[in-house]
Amino acid sequence: MKIEPALTPHPGPARPHDADLHELAGSLETVFLTEMLAHAGVGETPEAFGGGTGEEQFASFQREQLAAQIVAKGGIGLSESLFRALSERQADV
């Protein structure tokens, strides 16, 4: 029985369906990181000399793009874990 290290990157999609699972896992990690960035206060309007309502309106877009960039650069490993879990579930079906 071969055991892989938890954070070993997947070599890439082996089957056409794997590409869809990779994309889905990346999207889920982006959503997760967007929420975490919001709770961390990224994009909050400063009390003094802030951008006002406009800045508040577009802060979510900034967080989403920042999260997408984090995932594109390798993320936090969540998408790889999600990909493996989704792959295993597909294999069982």
Side-chain angles (χ1 to χ4, degrees):
M1 181 166 113
K2 183 180 177 184
I3 299 175
E4 293 182 74
L7 296 177
T8 302
H10 193 272
R15 300 173 300 219
H17 188 65
D18 286 353
D20 293 337
L21 290 179
H22 268 289
E23 185 177 341
L24 177 62
S27 296
L28 290 170
E29 184 175 11
T30 300
V31 170
F32 175 78
L33 287 173
T34 300
E35 287 300 311
M36 292 301 100
L37 291 170
H39 288 287
V42 173
E44 286 185 359
T45 305
E47 299 267 335
F49 303 107
T53 306
E55 186 174 345
E56 291 173 11
Q57 294 288 325
F58 289 98
S60 64
F61 296 118
Q62 178 189 20
R63 285 189 295 268
E64 185 177 348
Q65 288 302 308
L66 180 57
Q69 289 294 319
I70 292 170
V71 171
K73 297 288 183 180
I76 59 172
L78 181 61
S79 63
E80 186 59 35
S81 296
L82 290 168
F83 172 76
R84 287 182 182 162
L86 291 169
S87 293
E88 290 172 8
R89 185 163 180 124
Q90 289 294 323
D92 291 342
V93 174

